[in-house]
Amino acid sequence: MPFVVTDNCIKCKYTDCVEVCPVDCFHEGPNFLVIDPDECIDCTLCEPECPAQAIFPEDDVPAGQEHYIKLNAELSRDWPVIAVRKEAPPDAAEWDGVKDKLKYLEK
Ligand code: SF4
Ligand code: F3S
C-alpha cells in the first residue's frame, strides 16, 4: 500500500520528505509533490517528516481527499524525480492548513 501526498502539500512544498525516501519515489511539480505508487515501498519514513502533515498511507487518506490517490499516480508519470531537499516557498507557512487547495495546483 503506497503512501500518498495530499491537499496540504500544495503551496507548502517543504520537501523534507524527499530526503528520507530510500527509493526516490517523490516527483516534483511547480507547487506540489507526489509519490509514485509503483515505486513506493511503504517504508513509512516520509510521513513524520512532513511539517504540513500532508502524507498518508493510501488507506488512511482523509475523507474527501481520495482523489489525491489517482492524482499522485498520474502526476508522477509526468513530473521529474526530486531527491534533494530545497527551500520551501517563502509564504509556505501562510498556506499551511488552508483547506481545499486543489484549485491552486499548478501542473
Ligand atoms: Fe518513499 Fe517510504 Fe515514503 Fe514510500 S513510504 S514515499 S518509499 S519514504
Ligand atoms: Fe509536501 Fe510535506 Fe513533502 S509539504 S513536499 S509532502 S514535506
Side-chain angles (χ1 to χ4, degrees), residues 3 20-23 25-26 35 39-46:
F3 279 58
V20 297
C21 182
V23 292
C25 59
F26 282 90
I35 291 170
E39 296 292 330
C40 177
I41 58 169
D42 197 16
C43 74
T44 80
L45 291 176
C46 58

Side-chain angles (χ1 to χ4, degrees), residues 31-87:
N31 64 1
F32 185 50
L33 257 57
V34 291
I35 291 170
D36 182 343
D38 295 331
E39 296 292 330
C40 177
I41 58 169
D42 197 16
C43 74
T44 80
L45 291 176
C46 58
E47 184 180 4
E49 293 300 315
C50 175
Q53 281 111 39
I55 304 175
F56 295 89
E58 189 177 291
D59 283 354
D60 286 339
V61 167
Q65 296 198 41
E66 295 85 355
H67 48 288
Y68 280 94
I69 297 169
K70 194 169 167 220
L71 203 56
N72 274 244
E74 287 174 357
L75 295 176
S76 64
R77 287 196 284 268
D78 298 334
W79 287 352
V81 168
I82 172 172
V84 178
R85 187 179 178 281
K86 57 168 68 170
E87 281 298 307

